[in-house]
Amino acid sequence: MPISELDRLDIAILEALQENARTPLSEVGRRVGLSQPATSERVKRLEDRGILAGYTARLDAAALGLGMMAIIRLKTTHEHIKPALKAFAEMPHVIEVHRLTGEDCFLLKVLVPTPGQLETIVDTIARFGAVTTSLVLRSEPVKPLGKALLG
């Protein structure tokens, strides 16, 4: 569904659900000026078209003992791409994997409890090529996809 097929009400619904996906559809409808059945119909359409791809819970990694976040960049060769992807999939502390163009081939987001655990991960990844690691001091909230981008 191209952006042009989303109207202001669809975008407002998407913004509300990104803010809090547990908001009852009757409340979402009140916010955007629709009845609950009309809101439900639009949400169903957005789900059917794959725009609303799912609903999740946000967890506090630090509260779970995973207070250290790092961004790891890997520069590798083509023959290491598939083995590296397999290794990343088997590493539970690697929570995001992005394949890149440019100098680096991968950007990884890693959550660990200790510097020692990070060292183990870096050493494991380094067998595929040159690694650059940055510790994250603080993360800003992810911006929702809304009218500023879609409207």
Side-chain angles (χ1 to χ4, degrees):
M1 178 181 208
I3 291 173
S4 62
E5 291 184 31
L6 294 174
D7 66 16
R8 68 172 183 77
L9 294 172
D10 289 330
I11 292 170
I13 290 168
L14 292 171
E15 287 177 328
L17 291 175
Q18 286 176 91
E19 183 181 313
N20 182 356
R22 292 186 64 173
T23 303
L25 292 183
S26 58
E27 172 61 24
V28 172
R30 270 193 294 282
R31 286 189 200 175
V32 303
L34 291 173
S35 67
Q36 189 274 327
T39 304
S40 295
E41 168 83 22
R42 283 178 178 259
V43 167
K44 176 79 169 105
R45 247 185 321 180
L46 292 165
E47 289 171 342
D48 290 347
R49 293 184 172 164
I51 292 170
L52 270 173
Y55 302 86
T56 63
R58 290 185 302 249
L59 305 180
D60 184 326
L64 293 167
L66 299 167
M68 181 176 285
M69 182 187 306
I71 302 297
I72 300 174
R73 296 187 339 255
L74 172 64
K75 183 177 180 180
T76 190
T77 58
H78 188 58
E79 68 266 10
H80 288 113
I81 298 290
K82 284 186 181 178
L85 285 167
K86 184 177 184 310
F88 303 154
E90 294 171 356
M91 301 170 78
H93 291 88
V94 176
I95 62 165
E96 288 183 28
V97 176
H98 302 275
R99 180 122 185 242
L100 307 173
T101 62
E103 288 270 329
D104 297 315
C105 300
F106 292 103
L107 183 140
L108 312 173
K109 183 176 175 182
V110 176
L111 290 174
V112 293
T114 66
Q117 183 70 42
L118 179 59
E119 179 182 24
T120 300
I121 290 168
V122 169
D123 290 348
T124 300
I125 292 169
R127 72 178 188 225
F128 299 111
V131 172
T132 304
T133 304
S134 300
L135 292 178
V136 175
L137 300 176
R138 180 181 66 205
S139 296
E140 296 299 319
V142 174
K143 291 181 182 179
L145 303 182
K147 64 183 169 217
L149 181 63
L150 304 173

